[in-house]
Amino acid sequence: MTEHYPLQVHAYRTKAELGRAAGAHAARHLREVIAQAGAARVMLAAAPSQDATLAALAEAEDIDFSRVTFFHMDDYVGLDPDAPQGFGNWLERNFISTLAQRPTFHRLDAAAEPEAAAAAYADLMGTEPFDLLLCGLGVNGHLAFNDPGADLADPRAVRVVEMDEVSRRQQHDEGHFPTLEAVPLRAMTVTIPRLLASDLVICSVPGAPKRAAVAATLDREPTSEVPGTALKLHPDAHLYLDEEANPHA
């Protein structure tokens, strides 16, 4: 059996409290990494679930963000380059542009031929581990757009995927698209093994719609049926919950 570890759970009453704590944790780690290595590599998720955490990180003191290189873990295939729903655009608008110093931000090219764009992004990331992974959890337990059935040992770094209908409905329900039909059918996603090649994992999960996915993630051993359980394959993974998302609250 593949070695796995207990998830470290941090429970808070509200999303704002969750975000402040998760952002402070991320900030402490980045300060240490930059002090020791002079630079840091961070993998980001783009979603409303992340906004409180990212806002707290952006406001943290004594971080020279010009020394940080950011990547993001997924994006839709086929959107216009300036589409507001694009995850790279969301991160630029809601996080990158708010930082005191301009970092390096490497974006997936959602408008390019998908397989070529996936291969180019894999090359751009290289094989070096990330210092920090900031992620969320989908209502179906997905990590990035690694939906149920995803390979927890995927040999590829970036994959073009057909989006699960539950994932597509989540994008509509969260207000990103006016109809379910408007949500793209395909996406590019960094795979689970490449995401977990990170020194520290901070997973921020607020909101009642995520409660069942959190329960399954906590209760089950690592399984492709619930991709979030792959967090247990990492020795330093932290799950930050608010009261609505916490099945044990």
Side-chain angles (χ1 to χ4, degrees), residues 2-216:
T2 303
E3 185 175 10
H4 56 280
Y5 309 87
L7 264 175
Q8 300 177 63
V9 178
H10 308 263
Y12 295 88
R13 188 174 62 86
T14 67
K15 178 181 177 181
E17 292 171 356
L18 176 165
R20 285 193 292 271
H25 189 174
R28 288 194 302 273
H29 183 67
L30 283 183
R31 289 188 197 100
E32 292 172 2
V33 170
I34 294 170
Q36 293 172 7
R41 288 163 43 97
V42 179
M43 174 59 75
L44 298 172
S49 65
Q50 303 302 297
D51 53 19
T53 297
L54 293 176
L57 177 57
E59 293 168 1
E61 297 179 350
D62 301 324
I63 298 176
D64 182 354
F65 284 103
S66 70
R67 295 180 178 272
V68 182
T69 298
F70 289 105
F71 300 84
H72 68 122
M73 60 184 62
D74 52 4
D75 217 328
Y76 304 106
V77 165
L79 286 184
D80 291 336
D82 59 351
Q85 300 97 330
F87 289 165
N89 293 336
W90 188 95
L91 282 164
E92 177 67 39
R93 186 171 64 248
N94 291 284
F95 178 60
I96 300 294
S97 66
T98 71
L99 299 176
Q101 301 88 23
R102 178 73 190 186
T104 299
F105 179 31
H106 292 309
R107 298 173 51 160
L108 283 155
D109 187 351
E113 193 284 319
E115 293 292 349
Y121 205 63
D123 288 343
L124 191 62
M125 289 189 297
T127 59
E128 183 182 356
F130 303 109
D131 296 294
L132 173 64
L133 166 65
L134 295 177
C135 66
L137 186 68
V139 295
N140 62 355
H142 70 224
L143 292 175
F145 276 138
N146 296 288
D147 285 319
D151 185 354
L152 303 192
D154 198 322
R156 296 182 63 176
V158 187
R159 185 172 290 278
V160 180
V161 296
E162 300 291 327
M163 288 181 60
D164 186 299
E165 184 173 346
V166 178
S167 284
R168 294 180 66 241
R169 188 170 298 280
Q170 178 181 336
Q171 307 311 309
H172 169 246
D173 291 345
E174 290 180 352
H176 307 303
F177 293 90
T179 64
L180 178 61
E181 292 70 27
V183 181
L185 296 173
R186 293 196 298 164
M188 291 179 287
T189 185
V190 178
T191 60
I192 287 173
R194 190 65 187 93
L195 291 174
L196 295 182
S198 304
D199 292 339
L200 172 66
V201 175
I202 295 176
C203 185
S204 299
V205 189
K210 306 292 181 71
R211 181 182 285 239
V214 171

Side-chain angles (χ1 to χ4, degrees), residues 219-235:
D219 292 346
R220 300 187 64 174
E221 294 190 356
T223 170
S224 64
E225 295 174 11
V226 185
T229 57
L231 295 172
K232 295 177 179 178
L233 300 174
H234 194 285

Side-chain angles (χ1 to χ4, degrees), residues 11-12 211 242-249:
Y12 295 88
R211 181 182 285 239
D242 69 359
E243 195 170 80
E244 290 185 346
N246 187 353
H248 304 303

